[in-house]
């Protein structure tokens, strides 16, 4: 079975309380550690890779991002999905080719640019072109940014997310990711969005656990740069010990 088929199958028939948990490696060693821990698949975080490469989030040159993704994919035998932000201005065919060359089985694509929401119809058309270029070779996770760049009202952000999600799913997206959505609107999102639903999980104990997110309707849970930031904090603590 192809890795992309394995990855797609991991999203099917998830039981409530048992979402697919996808930790975010930022380099080869973190990918190996997570694979050896038994996770069936991984999802790279663009912000985590940016920090590891010395860039601000959203400012990593495309060549550096694809090289980092290739190192992660080459370090493990399990499927890896890649966060490639807004696609770096690449034509859909080139974007797909570069993802496949890097070894990714999926991608995360956002619907905002520099803090401004994109026109949903134009973005849906672009996603349809990505799907056409990829065929069944990539699992497309369509990120919806209404909670990040909307008017601040969670109910309205959820309704707008559902509208955008419908267009993106119709365009061929395999999964929808309403990043930043609070847990209390997750049932509404679940009722209005077809197919797999990605939710953001926190690692600081301040939010719902992956199990709780699954019980509320999440199909899968990702953590953005959370693990990379925890690793940096652990290193900071060890550095402090060394200075004593």
């Amino acid at each position: 079975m192809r890795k992309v088929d394995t990855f797609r199958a991991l999203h099917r028939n998830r039981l409530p309380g048992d979402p697919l948990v996808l930790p975010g490696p930022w380099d080869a060693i973190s990918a190996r550690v997570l694979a050896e821990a038994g996770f069936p698949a991984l999802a790279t975080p663009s912000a985590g890779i940016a920090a590891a490469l010395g860039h601000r989030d959203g400012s990593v040159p495309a060549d550096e991002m694809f090289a980092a993704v290739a190192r992660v994919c080459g370090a493990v035998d399990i499927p890896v999905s890649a966060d490639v932000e807004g696609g770096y201005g690449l034509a859909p065919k080139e974007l797909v080719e570069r993802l496949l060359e890097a070894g990714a089985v999926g991608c995360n694509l956002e619907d905002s640019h520099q803090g401004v929401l994109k026109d949903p119809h134009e973005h849906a058309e672009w996603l349809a072109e990505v799907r056409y270029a990829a065929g069944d070779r990539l699992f497309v996770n369509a990120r919806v940014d209404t909670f990040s760049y909307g008017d601040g009202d969670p109910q309205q952000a959820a309704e707008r997310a559902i509208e955008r999600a419908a267009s993106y799913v119709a365009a061929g997206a395999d999964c929808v990711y309403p990043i930043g959505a609070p847990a209390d609107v997750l049932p509404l999102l679940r009722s209005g969005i077809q197919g797999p639903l990605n939710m953001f999980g926190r690692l600081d104990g301040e939010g719902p656990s992956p199990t709780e997110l699954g019980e509320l309707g999440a199909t899968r849970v990702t953590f953005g740069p959370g693990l990379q930031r925890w690793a940096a904090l652990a290193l900071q603590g060890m550095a402090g010990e060394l200075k004593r």
Side-chain angles (χ1 to χ4, degrees):
M1 181 182 291
R2 299 178 305 171
K3 284 184 181 180
V4 66
D5 296 326
T6 298
F7 189 66
R8 193 167 274 116
L10 288 169
H11 293 76
R12 300 191 187 114
N13 303 317
R14 305 300 308 190
L15 296 174
D18 182 33
L20 174 61
V21 175
L22 296 173
W26 57 95
D27 59 11
I29 186 60
S30 59
R32 291 193 191 102
V33 168
L34 294 169
E36 289 169 2
F39 290 99
L42 305 172
T44 66
S46 61
I49 288 178
L53 295 177
H55 294 286
R56 289 179 291 103
D57 184 21
S59 66
V60 180
D63 288 348
E64 290 191 45
M65 182 61 76
F66 285 111
V69 170
R71 287 191 290 273
V72 169
C73 294
V76 296
D77 291 328
I78 58 177
V80 177
S81 181
D83 181 353
V84 288
E85 304 176 294
Y88 309 109
L90 299 174
K93 186 175 184 294
E94 183 179 358
L95 176 62
V96 167
E97 289 173 351
R98 297 197 68 171
L99 282 162
L100 294 173
E101 287 172 1
V105 302
C107 58
N108 190 71
L109 298 169
E110 58 197 48
D111 70 348
S112 67
H113 178 65
Q114 296 181 346
V116 178
L117 289 167
K118 297 178 181 177
D119 179 274
H121 303 294
E122 292 179 1
H123 188 62
E125 290 176 357
W126 183 76
L127 286 175
E129 292 179 26
V130 172
R131 169 53 65 210
Y132 179 78
D136 66 351
R137 297 176 296 170
L138 285 176
F139 185 98
V140 177
N141 186 37
R143 199 179 93 176
V144 181
D145 287 356
T146 57
F147 291 92
S148 300
Y149 305 119
D151 59 13
D153 181 83
Q155 184 77 17
Q156 290 186 10
E159 293 170 358
R160 293 177 69 192
I162 290 171
E163 292 174 358
R164 285 173 173 257
S167 296
Y168 303 163
V169 170
D174 298 285
C175 185
V176 174
Y177 179 20
I179 190 170
D184 58 3
V185 302
L186 179 48
L188 172 60
L189 292 169
R190 177 67 286 169
S191 68
I193 295 176
Q194 294 183 1
L197 183 60
N198 189 147
M199 286 292 286
F200 177 79
R202 297 182 60 168
L203 297 170
D204 57 7
E206 294 298 319
S209 68
T211 296
E212 291 169 330
L213 289 172
E215 290 171 344
L216 290 170
T219 308
R220 75 182 211 181
V221 179
T222 53
F223 306 90
L227 282 174
Q228 190 270 338
R229 290 173 180 171
W230 274 104
L233 286 173
L235 181 59
Q236 186 179 53
M238 288 183 280
E241 289 296 316
L242 289 174
K243 287 289 288 182
R244 286 188 177 184

